[in-house]
Amino acid sequence: APALAAPPLDVYGNLPTLSDVMISPDGDRLAFVQQDGTERVIKVTELDGKGKAVGFSITGKKLRGIKWAGDTHLLVITSTTRSLLGFPGLSHAEWFQIQSLDVLSGEQVDLMTHNNTMIANVASGSPMVRTVNGKTLIMVPSFYPEQTGFGPALYSLSLGGGDAKILESKSEFAEEWLVDSDGNPIVETDFDDQTKHWGLRIKENGFWKEVISRNAPIDQPEVAGLTQDGTGVVFKDIDKDTYQTVSLKDGTAGPPYEHANAGMIVRDSLTDRVLGAYALTPYQTLTLFPPDAQRAWKIVEASFPNCTNGLESHTPDWKKIVVHVDCSAFGDNFVLLDLTTNRAHMVGPEYAGIGKEDYSEVKIIEYQAADGRTIMGYLTLPKGKDPKNLPLIVMPHGGPAARDEPGFDWWSEALASRGYAVLRPQYRGSQGFGDELFEAGFGEFGRKMQTDLSDGVRSLAAQGIIDPKRVCIVGASYGGYAAMAGITLQTGIYRCAIADAGLSDLPAMLAWNQNHQERQDNPAAQYWDRYMGVTDPASSKLKDISPIYHLANVDAPILLTHGTDDTVVEIGQSQKMYEALKAAGKTAEFVKMQDEDHWLSTSKTRDEMLEADMAFLMKYNPPD
């Protein structure tokens, strides 16, 4: 059977063998993150082959990214789950820290504690790197002390963590800054949680001037970055849902942004100028806006046709580009293209141990929902099996305002390697395909958002691709809720369910959220109101769509998994569901993942979850 020849489960469950492949601005060095057994390291190699490769251990740390700061230093961004002592109102959450790493000397400095100016050793946003008079400076959003507790501040630091100074700290509601090529703050966004007032401000004669304002009860406009020439700022408006420009000189609205309907924007990591965008399509093709960049990207696309090509990093002159290439013909690999020599160099596979011969094919499909809406989905078909009468796993994404992407997905590929077809539906409420599909989910939580999933089962069964008697539903976060709902709000569709970090009790979730946020009308509550149609945790409507209140309907076994450090969905949502299921005499299992957050950030717990999933599926929905 194909399952016998498949790679071991932990090959899929482990964190990627290779990730974060970043070329230095001068094109001389390549930095990347490598998983080697139980060790996780950042490695830096000299591309001329003359220098010795150096490595820095990050084993046990939750890495969130690396970024070049000049040609000889890396910024290493990690996070930890804890409370910030001495900061009223800053609760138990995921906090980010930044290290500066000298790749020549090996010296490592914690940027946020290596000075006397910064009061909190955490960052509240992404670092911005600028070179001023030959010196590399790091601008980091963080906090500063004020009478009532803390306030937002933007700091400037040297690579050694010294020379720290506060650039901005006067705005009580500041959320984000952009700086110019000299490191001077030129854009600031503010949001008042009480009044819902969002503003975009620019510097004029040394003072901040608000030039755009919006009432933003749920969504806020999104700052995409600076225009390509650096004279304006690009933002996505909530009123028009298109990208607009504003002049940094006088705050006047620029012409409609030429790429106004772009999808996910890509920002240049060296300049914070808008670089390009991925299209609002199932294939996520990339368009780069600067002509020299787009010419280089066309060479990438011609080199790897019919593949999902992701821009990983590049030199400022676009002569060297690192691409994440993903397709059944080529595998899932990182490639360095040198356009001066017209040569491609294989950096390595994202997952060692999974060759292109192990890939299960991913097809883009469409089907009709019960009300006639067309739903798109990614269907992974198990390799070596005739696509007829297959066992199926329905895997709804989290969010729900999110989307799946084409290309390799470790969880669905792991399940497909064991003989299952996997359907990832882009149900109404999904984001990344335009406003119409997104807004169609409003008020449909547990309703049409749920039946969009089972309508996919019905369609695949009608085509003879899957066996409707051998279908399970598996998901995380909102997908975990959908898995629970699939055997409580619906019956007779799924043979089993697996819910990771799912929502079972919506009244309790909203009450916890309000307590956590300290205000009833906080943005998170309004976000859920949009989908559920309810703000009051006591509303009877919430019980109608809460799995824990419909246990009598449960007609299939369920596995619940949840991380103990989850700050997004409290672990009680799974714990209470498990206890209630057992009390009701239902078949249920519960796996607590120690020290894991909401995002399955460590190999140990990803492996643990995958092993538990597979054992459960083999028991209740074996593939053969």
Side-chain angles (χ1 to χ4, degrees), residues 418-461:
R418 268 53 189 172
Y420 298 96
V422 182
L423 174 64
R424 293 180 289 155
Q426 306 312 292
Y427 51 84
R428 70 194 76 200
S430 298
Q431 219 164 12
F433 300 97
D435 265 13
E436 202 278 328
L437 181 70
F438 171 51
E439 291 173 2
F442 295 177
E444 296 297 344
F445 200 98
R447 300 176 179 95
K448 287 181 180 177
M449 284 166 64
Q450 190 69 29
T451 54
D452 282 351
L453 312 179
S454 47
D455 287 339
V457 176
R458 182 171 45 78
S459 172
L460 292 174

mmCIF file of all heavy atoms in Angstrom, residues 418-461:
data_model
loop_
_atom_site.group_PDB
_atom_site.id
_atom_site.type_symbol
_atom_site.label_atom_id
_atom_site.label_comp_id
_atom_site.label_asym_id
_atom_site.label_seq_id
_atom_site.Cartn_x
_atom_site.Cartn_y
_atom_site.Cartn_z
ATOM 1 N N ARG A 418 -1.057 9.082 4.108
ATOM 2 C CA ARG A 418 -1.605 7.860 4.726
ATOM 3 C C ARG A 418 -2.836 7.354 3.981
ATOM 4 O O ARG A 418 -3.504 6.433 4.442
ATOM 5 C CB ARG A 418 -1.936 8.115 6.190
ATOM 6 C CG ARG A 418 -0.791 7.762 7.150
ATOM 7 C CD ARG A 418 0.519 8.429 6.785
ATOM 8 N NE ARG A 418 1.632 7.908 7.579
ATOM 9 C CZ ARG A 418 2.901 8.194 7.360
ATOM 10 N NH1 ARG A 418 3.231 8.985 6.353
ATOM 11 N NH2 ARG A 418 3.861 7.682 8.101
ATOM 12 N N GLY A 419 -3.161 7.970 2.844
ATOM 13 C CA GLY A 419 -4.221 7.424 2.006
ATOM 14 C C GLY A 419 -5.520 8.204 1.975
ATOM 15 O O GLY A 419 -6.486 7.773 1.353
ATOM 16 N N TYR A 420 -5.552 9.371 2.640
ATOM 17 C CA TYR A 420 -6.786 10.165 2.683
ATOM 18 C C TYR A 420 -6.770 11.265 1.619
ATOM 19 O O TYR A 420 -5.734 11.898 1.391
ATOM 20 C CB TYR A 420 -6.959 10.828 4.051
ATOM 21 C CG TYR A 420 -7.082 9.863 5.202
ATOM 22 C CD1 TYR A 420 -5.970 9.528 5.973
ATOM 23 C CD2 TYR A 420 -8.311 9.286 5.532
ATOM 24 C CE1 TYR A 420 -6.064 8.640 7.034
ATOM 25 C CE2 TYR A 420 -8.424 8.398 6.595
ATOM 26 C CZ TYR A 420 -7.286 8.070 7.335
ATOM 27 O OH TYR A 420 -7.392 7.188 8.381
ATOM 28 N N ALA A 421 -7.911 11.517 1.005
ATOM 29 C CA ALA A 421 -8.098 12.761 0.269
ATOM 30 C C ALA A 421 -8.377 13.855 1.298
ATOM 31 O O ALA A 421 -9.007 13.594 2.332
ATOM 32 C CB ALA A 421 -9.270 12.642 -0.696
ATOM 33 N N VAL A 422 -7.892 15.063 1.050
ATOM 34 C CA VAL A 422 -8.081 16.166 2.000
ATOM 35 C C VAL A 422 -8.681 17.358 1.254
ATOM 36 O O VAL A 422 -8.109 17.834 0.263
ATOM 37 C CB VAL A 422 -6.756 16.585 2.673
ATOM 38 C CG1 VAL A 422 -7.006 17.694 3.699
ATOM 39 C CG2 VAL A 422 -6.090 15.389 3.351
ATOM 40 N N LEU A 423 -9.817 17.838 1.737
ATOM 41 C CA LEU A 423 -10.475 19.003 1.150
ATOM 42 C C LEU A 423 -10.314 20.205 2.075
ATOM 43 O O LEU A 423 -10.728 20.170 3.233
ATOM 44 C CB LEU A 423 -11.969 18.728 0.927
ATOM 45 C CG LEU A 423 -12.804 19.937 0.452
ATOM 46 C CD1 LEU A 423 -12.340 20.397 -0.932
ATOM 47 C CD2 LEU A 423 -14.293 19.603 0.452
ATOM 48 N N ARG A 424 -9.708 21.272 1.530
ATOM 49 C CA ARG A 424 -9.586 22.535 2.275
ATOM 50 C C ARG A 424 -10.493 23.563 1.595
ATOM 51 O O ARG A 424 -10.074 24.224 0.636
ATOM 52 C CB ARG A 424 -8.128 23.003 2.291
ATOM 53 C CG ARG A 424 -7.194 22.104 3.091
ATOM 54 C CD ARG A 424 -5.766 22.590 3.082
ATOM 55 N NE ARG A 424 -5.135 22.422 1.790
ATOM 56 C CZ ARG A 424 -4.106 23.144 1.350
ATOM 57 N NH1 ARG A 424 -3.601 24.124 2.093
ATOM 58 N NH2 ARG A 424 -3.591 22.916 0.154
ATOM 59 N N PRO A 425 -11.725 23.729 2.070
ATOM 60 C CA PRO A 425 -12.677 24.624 1.401
ATOM 61 C C PRO A 425 -12.432 26.088 1.779
ATOM 62 O O PRO A 425 -12.132 26.403 2.929
ATOM 63 C CB PRO A 425 -14.034 24.164 1.946
ATOM 64 C CG PRO A 425 -13.754 22.983 2.834
ATOM 65 C CD PRO A 425 -12.322 23.066 3.224
ATOM 66 N N GLN A 426 -12.596 26.975 0.807
ATOM 67 C CA GLN A 426 -12.511 28.424 1.057
ATOM 68 C C GLN A 426 -13.946 28.932 1.225
ATOM 69 O O GLN A 426 -14.521 29.575 0.346
ATOM 70 C CB GLN A 426 -11.766 29.112 -0.069
ATOM 71 C CG GLN A 426 -10.397 28.501 -0.344
ATOM 72 C CD GLN A 426 -9.557 28.278 0.903
ATOM 73 O OE1 GLN A 426 -9.134 29.245 1.531
ATOM 74 N NE2 GLN A 426 -9.320 27.034 1.295
ATOM 75 N N TYR A 427 -14.507 28.595 2.371
ATOM 76 C CA TYR A 427 -15.917 28.855 2.688
ATOM 77 C C TYR A 427 -16.195 30.362 2.777
ATOM 78 O O TYR A 427 -15.285 31.175 2.913
ATOM 79 C CB TYR A 427 -16.285 28.161 4.002
ATOM 80 C CG TYR A 427 -15.310 28.465 5.137
ATOM 81 C CD1 TYR A 427 -15.438 29.614 5.919
ATOM 82 C CD2 TYR A 427 -14.250 27.598 5.423
ATOM 83 C CE1 TYR A 427 -14.554 29.896 6.941
ATOM 84 C CE2 TYR A 427 -13.358 27.875 6.449
ATOM 85 C CZ TYR A 427 -13.504 29.023 7.199
ATOM 86 O OH TYR A 427 -12.621 29.311 8.209
ATOM 87 N N ARG A 428 -17.470 30.724 2.722
ATOM 88 C CA ARG A 428 -17.818 32.153 2.847
ATOM 89 C C ARG A 428 -17.311 32.654 4.208
ATOM 90 O O ARG A 428 -17.340 31.926 5.208
ATOM 91 C CB ARG A 428 -19.323 32.360 2.675
ATOM 92 C CG ARG A 428 -20.198 31.858 3.766
ATOM 93 C CD ARG A 428 -21.649 31.820 3.340
ATOM 94 N NE ARG A 428 -21.923 30.676 2.460
ATOM 95 C CZ ARG A 428 -22.975 30.591 1.632
ATOM 96 N NH1 ARG A 428 -23.853 31.571 1.569
ATOM 97 N NH2 ARG A 428 -23.152 29.520 0.880
ATOM 98 N N GLY A 429 -16.835 33.887 4.220
ATOM 99 C CA GLY A 429 -16.168 34.408 5.418
ATOM 100 C C GLY A 429 -14.663 34.349 5.305
ATOM 101 O O GLY A 429 -13.941 34.980 6.071
ATOM 102 N N SER A 430 -14.153 33.568 4.324
ATOM 103 C CA SER A 430 -12.706 33.513 4.087
ATOM 104 C C SER A 430 -12.233 34.850 3.528
ATOM 105 O O SER A 430 -12.962 35.524 2.807
ATOM 106 C CB SER A 430 -12.371 32.398 3.087
ATOM 107 O OG SER A 430 -12.743 31.133 3.578
ATOM 108 N N GLN A 431 -10.996 35.202 3.859
ATOM 109 C CA GLN A 431 -10.428 36.447 3.352
ATOM 110 C C GLN A 431 -9.326 36.125 2.348
ATOM 111 O O GLN A 431 -8.729 35.061 2.418
ATOM 112 C CB GLN A 431 -9.862 37.275 4.508
ATOM 113 C CG GLN A 431 -10.108 38.749 4.362
ATOM 114 C CD GLN A 431 -9.891 39.518 5.666
ATOM 115 O OE1 GLN A 431 -9.347 38.995 6.615
ATOM 116 N NE2 GLN A 431 -10.312 40.753 5.699
ATOM 117 N N GLY A 432 -9.062 37.028 1.434
ATOM 118 C CA GLY A 432 -8.004 36.808 0.467
ATOM 119 C C GLY A 432 -8.524 36.505 -0.924
ATOM 120 O O GLY A 432 -7.749 36.236 -1.842
ATOM 121 N N PHE A 433 -9.856 36.553 -1.098
ATOM 122 C CA PHE A 433 -10.455 36.337 -2.411
ATOM 123 C C PHE A 433 -11.403 37.475 -2.773
ATOM 124 O O PHE A 433 -12.238 37.348 -3.661
ATOM 125 C CB PHE A 433 -11.220 35.008 -2.435
ATOM 126 C CG PHE A 433 -10.360 33.808 -2.157
ATOM 127 C CD1 PHE A 433 -10.284 33.268 -0.889
ATOM 128 C CD2 PHE A 433 -9.589 33.247 -3.168
ATOM 129 C CE1 PHE A 433 -9.469 32.172 -0.635
ATOM 130 C CE2 PHE A 433 -8.777 32.147 -2.919
ATOM 131 C CZ PHE A 433 -8.713 31.613 -1.644
ATOM 132 N N GLY A 434 -11.306 38.577 -2.041
ATOM 133 C CA GLY A 434 -12.177 39.718 -2.313
ATOM 134 C C GLY A 434 -13.265 39.868 -1.259
ATOM 135 O O GLY A 434 -13.561 38.956 -0.493
ATOM 136 N N ASP A 435 -13.842 41.059 -1.239
ATOM 137 C CA ASP A 435 -14.812 41.427 -0.200
ATOM 138 C C ASP A 435 -16.107 40.630 -0.242
ATOM 139 O O ASP A 435 -16.700 40.355 0.784
ATOM 140 C CB ASP A 435 -15.160 42.916 -0.332
ATOM 141 C CG ASP A 435 -14.309 43.746 0.594
ATOM 142 O OD1 ASP A 435 -13.327 43.202 1.123
ATOM 143 O OD2 ASP A 435 -14.612 44.935 0.776
ATOM 144 N N GLU A 436 -16.546 40.281 -1.447
ATOM 145 C CA GLU A 436 -17.869 39.670 -1.560
ATOM 146 C C GLU A 436 -17.927 38.338 -0.805
ATOM 147 O O GLU A 436 -18.855 38.087 -0.029
ATOM 148 C CB GLU A 436 -18.227 39.469 -3.039
ATOM 149 C CG GLU A 436 -19.729 39.341 -3.290
ATOM 150 C CD GLU A 436 -20.249 37.937 -3.038
ATOM 151 O OE1 GLU A 436 -19.504 36.975 -3.260
ATOM 152 O OE2 GLU A 436 -21.408 37.802 -2.593
ATOM 153 N N LEU A 437 -16.920 37.489 -0.997
ATOM 154 C CA LEU A 437 -16.885 36.196 -0.295
ATOM 155 C C LEU A 437 -16.712 36.411 1.202
ATOM 156 O O LEU A 437 -17.366 35.752 2.024
ATOM 157 C CB LEU A 437 -15.747 35.332 -0.838
ATOM 158 C CG LEU A 437 -15.620 33.948 -0.188
ATOM 159 C CD1 LEU A 437 -16.775 33.046 -0.600
ATOM 160 C CD2 LEU A 437 -14.283 33.290 -0.542
ATOM 161 N N PHE A 438 -15.850 37.350 1.565
ATOM 162 C CA PHE A 438 -15.591 37.652 2.977
ATOM 163 C C PHE A 438 -16.875 38.089 3.687
ATOM 164 O O PHE A 438 -17.268 37.526 4.715
ATOM 165 C CB PHE A 438 -14.516 38.739 3.038
ATOM 166 C CG PHE A 438 -14.281 39.329 4.400
ATOM 167 C CD1 PHE A 438 -14.056 38.527 5.498
ATOM 168 C CD2 PHE A 438 -14.271 40.711 4.579
ATOM 169 C CE1 PHE A 438 -13.823 39.073 6.757
ATOM 170 C CE2 PHE A 438 -14.040 41.268 5.820
ATOM 171 C CZ PHE A 438 -13.829 40.441 6.912
ATOM 172 N N GLU A 439 -17.576 39.055 3.103
ATOM 173 C CA GLU A 439 -18.756 39.612 3.765
ATOM 174 C C GLU A 439 -19.943 38.644 3.739
ATOM 175 O O GLU A 439 -20.864 38.765 4.546
ATOM 176 C CB GLU A 439 -19.134 40.942 3.101
ATOM 177 C CG GLU A 439 -18.096 42.023 3.385
ATOM 178 C CD GLU A 439 -18.349 43.311 2.617
ATOM 179 O OE1 GLU A 439 -19.362 43.373 1.879
ATOM 180 O OE2 GLU A 439 -17.527 44.240 2.748
ATOM 181 N N ALA A 440 -19.906 37.670 2.824
ATOM 182 C CA ALA A 440 -20.984 36.675 2.779
ATOM 183 C C ALA A 440 -20.998 35.805 4.035
ATOM 184 O O ALA A 440 -21.996 35.138 4.316
ATOM 185 C CB ALA A 440 -20.827 35.790 1.540
ATOM 186 N N GLY A 441 -19.893 35.832 4.799
ATOM 187 C CA GLY A 441 -19.837 35.047 6.037
ATOM 188 C C GLY A 441 -20.429 35.757 7.237
ATOM 189 O O GLY A 441 -20.644 35.134 8.285
ATOM 190 N N PHE A 442 -20.721 37.053 7.114
ATOM 191 C CA PHE A 442 -21.216 37.805 8.265
ATOM 192 C C PHE A 442 -22.552 37.227 8.725
ATOM 193 O O PHE A 442 -23.497 37.105 7.943
ATOM 194 C CB PHE A 442 -21.372 39.287 7.931
ATOM 195 C CG PHE A 442 -20.070 39.989 7.628
ATOM 196 C CD1 PHE A 442 -20.049 41.327 7.254
ATOM 197 C CD2 PHE A 442 -18.859 39.323 7.714
ATOM 198 C CE1 PHE A 442 -18.856 41.982 6.971
ATOM 199 C CE2 PHE A 442 -17.655 39.963 7.434
ATOM 200 C CZ PHE A 442 -17.662 41.291 7.058
ATOM 201 N N GLY A 443 -22.619 36.862 10.000
ATOM 202 C CA GLY A 443 -23.841 36.289 10.563
ATOM 203 C C GLY A 443 -24.033 34.818 10.250
ATOM 204 O O GLY A 443 -25.050 34.233 10.633
ATOM 205 N N GLU A 444 -23.061 34.201 9.583
ATOM 206 C CA GLU A 444 -23.234 32.806 9.145
ATOM 207 C C GLU A 444 -22.367 31.822 9.933
ATOM 208 O O GLU A 444 -22.188 30.682 9.530
ATOM 209 C CB GLU A 444 -22.933 32.679 7.649
ATOM 210 C CG GLU A 444 -23.885 33.457 6.768
ATOM 211 C CD GLU A 444 -25.326 32.966 6.860
ATOM 212 O OE1 GLU A 444 -25.568 31.848 7.359
ATOM 213 O OE2 GLU A 444 -26.232 33.724 6.455
ATOM 214 N N PHE A 445 -21.836 32.254 11.060
ATOM 215 C CA PHE A 445 -21.031 31.390 11.937
ATOM 216 C C PHE A 445 -21.888 30.200 12.383
ATOM 217 O O PHE A 445 -22.962 30.368 12.961
ATOM 218 C CB PHE A 445 -20.611 32.215 13.158
ATOM 219 C CG PHE A 445 -19.440 31.695 13.931
ATOM 220 C CD1 PHE A 445 -18.171 32.212 13.707
ATOM 221 C CD2 PHE A 445 -19.586 30.711 14.891
ATOM 222 C CE1 PHE A 445 -17.080 31.760 14.438
ATOM 223 C CE2 PHE A 445 -18.504 30.260 15.625
ATOM 224 C CZ PHE A 445 -17.242 30.784 15.398
ATOM 225 N N GLY A 446 -21.422 28.989 12.095
ATOM 226 C CA GLY A 446 -22.185 27.801 12.493
ATOM 227 C C GLY A 446 -23.405 27.557 11.630
ATOM 228 O O GLY A 446 -24.179 26.629 11.872
ATOM 229 N N ARG A 447 -23.576 28.380 10.611
ATOM 230 C CA ARG A 447 -24.748 28.256 9.741
ATOM 231 C C ARG A 447 -24.239 27.939 8.316
ATOM 232 O O ARG A 447 -23.801 26.822 8.058
ATOM 233 C CB ARG A 447 -25.583 29.539 9.804
ATOM 234 C CG ARG A 447 -26.087 29.825 11.247
ATOM 235 C CD ARG A 447 -26.844 31.134 11.354
ATOM 236 N NE ARG A 447 -27.332 31.356 12.713
ATOM 237 C CZ ARG A 447 -26.692 32.075 13.648
ATOM 238 N NH1 ARG A 447 -25.536 32.648 13.362
ATOM 239 N NH2 ARG A 447 -27.214 32.227 14.856
ATOM 240 N N LYS A 448 -24.317 28.915 7.395
ATOM 241 C CA LYS A 448 -23.873 28.623 6.025
ATOM 242 C C LYS A 448 -22.359 28.428 5.933
ATOM 243 O O LYS A 448 -21.875 27.730 5.033
ATOM 244 C CB LYS A 448 -24.321 29.740 5.075
ATOM 245 C CG LYS A 448 -25.821 29.714 4.801
ATOM 246 C CD LYS A 448 -26.235 30.804 3.833
ATOM 247 C CE LYS A 448 -27.738 30.757 3.587
ATOM 248 N NZ LYS A 448 -28.194 31.849 2.700
ATOM 249 N N MET A 449 -21.600 29.041 6.854
ATOM 250 C CA MET A 449 -20.158 28.778 6.878
ATOM 251 C C MET A 449 -19.902 27.302 7.158
ATOM 252 O O MET A 449 -18.912 26.733 6.697
ATOM 253 C CB MET A 449 -19.472 29.654 7.942
ATOM 254 C CG MET A 449 -19.299 31.109 7.510
ATOM 255 S SD MET A 449 -18.874 32.213 8.877
ATOM 256 C CE MET A 449 -17.287 31.579 9.376
ATOM 257 N N GLN A 450 -20.806 26.694 7.905
ATOM 258 C CA GLN A 450 -20.678 25.274 8.238
ATOM 259 C C GLN A 450 -21.156 24.381 7.091
ATOM 260 O O GLN A 450 -20.490 23.402 6.732
ATOM 261 C CB GLN A 450 -21.482 24.973 9.509
ATOM 262 C CG GLN A 450 -21.247 23.583 10.090
ATOM 263 C CD GLN A 450 -19.848 23.421 10.667
ATOM 264 O OE1 GLN A 450 -19.232 24.382 11.133
ATOM 265 N NE2 GLN A 450 -19.321 22.209 10.617
ATOM 266 N N THR A 451 -22.291 24.734 6.497
ATOM 267 C CA THR A 451 -22.822 23.889 5.419
ATOM 268 C C THR A 451 -21.996 24.015 4.138
ATOM 269 O O THR A 451 -22.024 23.109 3.297
ATOM 270 C CB THR A 451 -24.305 24.212 5.129
ATOM 271 O OG1 THR A 451 -24.437 25.616 4.861
ATOM 272 C CG2 THR A 451 -25.177 23.852 6.326
ATOM 273 N N ASP A 452 -21.235 25.103 4.005
ATOM 274 C CA ASP A 452 -20.308 25.207 2.869
ATOM 275 C C ASP A 452 -19.315 24.040 2.881
ATOM 276 O O ASP A 452 -18.851 23.598 1.823
ATOM 277 C CB ASP A 452 -19.512 26.517 2.920
ATOM 278 C CG ASP A 452 -20.321 27.717 2.433
ATOM 279 O OD1 ASP A 452 -21.423 27.515 1.897
ATOM 280 O OD2 ASP A 452 -19.843 28.854 2.604
ATOM 281 N N LEU A 453 -18.976 23.553 4.072
ATOM 282 C CA LEU A 453 -18.026 22.447 4.198
ATOM 283 C C LEU A 453 -18.680 21.133 3.763
ATOM 284 O O LEU A 453 -18.133 20.392 2.947
ATOM 285 C CB LEU A 453 -17.524 22.331 5.642
ATOM 286 C CG LEU A 453 -17.053 23.624 6.328
ATOM 287 C CD1 LEU A 453 -16.620 23.328 7.760
ATOM 288 C CD2 LEU A 453 -15.917 24.269 5.553
ATOM 289 N N SER A 454 -19.861 20.857 4.317
ATOM 290 C CA SER A 454 -20.527 19.588 4.004
ATOM 291 C C SER A 454 -21.059 19.563 2.573
ATOM 292 O O SER A 454 -21.203 18.492 1.966
ATOM 293 C CB SER A 454 -21.653 19.308 5.003
ATOM 294 O OG SER A 454 -22.473 20.434 5.194
ATOM 295 N N ASP A 455 -21.290 20.749 1.992
ATOM 296 C CA ASP A 455 -21.674 20.784 0.575
ATOM 297 C C ASP A 455 -20.518 20.295 -0.300
ATOM 298 O O ASP A 455 -20.739 19.718 -1.375
ATOM 299 C CB ASP A 455 -22.091 22.200 0.162
ATOM 300 C CG ASP A 455 -23.462 22.595 0.718
ATOM 301 O OD1 ASP A 455 -24.230 21.679 1.070
ATOM 302 O OD2 ASP A 455 -23.742 23.796 0.820
ATOM 303 N N GLY A 456 -19.295 20.515 0.152
ATOM 304 C CA GLY A 456 -18.125 19.993 -0.564
ATOM 305 C C GLY A 456 -18.077 18.470 -0.522
ATOM 306 O O GLY A 456 -17.716 17.812 -1.498
ATOM 307 N N VAL A 457 -18.448 17.916 0.636
ATOM 308 C CA VAL A 457 -18.524 16.452 0.775
ATOM 309 C C VAL A 457 -19.551 15.900 -0.217
ATOM 310 O O VAL A 457 -19.293 14.921 -0.938
ATOM 311 C CB VAL A 457 -18.909 16.059 2.214
ATOM 312 C CG1 VAL A 457 -19.083 14.546 2.337
ATOM 313 C CG2 VAL A 457 -17.876 16.577 3.219
ATOM 314 N N ARG A 458 -20.700 16.557 -0.250
ATOM 315 C CA ARG A 458 -21.787 16.107 -1.125
ATOM 316 C C ARG A 458 -21.343 16.123 -2.592
ATOM 317 O O ARG A 458 -21.593 15.180 -3.351
ATOM 318 C CB ARG A 458 -22.989 17.042 -0.913
ATOM 319 C CG ARG A 458 -24.237 16.699 -1.708
ATOM 320 C CD ARG A 458 -25.431 17.539 -1.256
ATOM 321 N NE ARG A 458 -25.132 18.953 -1.076
ATOM 322 C CZ ARG A 458 -25.026 19.829 -2.077
ATOM 323 N NH1 ARG A 458 -25.178 19.427 -3.325
ATOM 324 N NH2 ARG A 458 -24.766 21.096 -1.829
ATOM 325 N N SER A 459 -20.648 17.191 -2.993
ATOM 326 C CA SER A 459 -20.200 17.316 -4.373
ATOM 327 C C SER A 459 -19.181 16.241 -4.737
ATOM 328 O O SER A 459 -19.278 15.605 -5.791
ATOM 329 C CB SER A 459 -19.591 18.713 -4.600
ATOM 330 O OG SER A 459 -18.996 18.807 -5.872
ATOM 331 N N LEU A 460 -18.203 16.015 -3.869
ATOM 332 C CA LEU A 460 -17.174 15.005 -4.155
ATOM 333 C C LEU A 460 -17.765 13.600 -4.176
ATOM 334 O O LEU A 460 -17.332 12.741 -4.951
ATOM 335 C CB LEU A 460 -16.046 15.098 -3.124
ATOM 336 C CG LEU A 460 -15.189 16.368 -3.176
ATOM 337 C CD1 LEU A 460 -14.211 16.404 -2.011
ATOM 338 C CD2 LEU A 460 -14.430 16.466 -4.493
ATOM 339 N N ALA A 461 -18.770 13.381 -3.326
ATOM 340 C CA ALA A 461 -19.436 12.067 -3.302
ATOM 341 C C ALA A 461 -20.217 11.858 -4.597
ATOM 342 O O ALA A 461 -20.204 10.758 -5.176
ATOM 343 C CB ALA A 461 -20.353 11.965 -2.095
#
